[in-house]
Amino acid sequence: MVAELGESALVRDVLTERVIASAGSASAASVRRRVDELLQRDMSFALLAAGVVFVPALVDGTTWTAFVDADDAAQGFLRTHPQRRRWAGG
């Protein structure tokens, strides 16, 4: 699946058919089942509006920034979950 996706997105049905075509002697039903399992359990894949993507390839070479408040910075702490920013007056 990773080879089929590369750095692009594919509609799920198209991805599944390509994996079936490259699966050799495996039955189409078993390949479909395995693709479904992977897409449900493996967080390396994500379903976006454009189709299925392999997240590591999609974000390779990107830079992400994170807000670190003064208390966390003083403790050398970086939150790794989404956080709502508190705005003055709001």
Side-chain angles (χ1 to χ4, degrees):
M1 285 180 34
V2 172
E4 293 297 333
L5 289 169
E7 296 177 4
S8 63
L10 287 174
V11 174
R12 185 180 182 145
D13 291 342
V14 172
L15 173 62
T16 302
E17 292 305 317
R18 288 186 182 183
V19 173
I20 289 169
S22 66
S25 62
S27 73
S30 68
V31 173
R32 278 192 185 88
R33 202 169 28 257
R34 183 67 179 136
V35 168
D36 288 345
E37 289 173 4
L38 280 171
L39 294 179
Q40 289 176 12
R41 296 183 179 158
D42 189 335
M43 300 305 291
S44 298
F45 299 96
L47 182 59
L48 305 178
V52 177
V53 296
F54 181 59
V55 176
L58 185 67
V59 300
D60 186 35
T62 63
T63 301
W64 297 60
T65 59
F67 174 77
V68 180
D69 67 30
D71 293 335
D72 289 349
Q75 295 176 26
F77 185 79
L78 177 63
R79 296 179 192 276
T80 59
H81 58 83
Q83 172 184 344
R84 291 185 184 179
R85 282 187 80 169
R86 296 182 191 139
W87 299 97

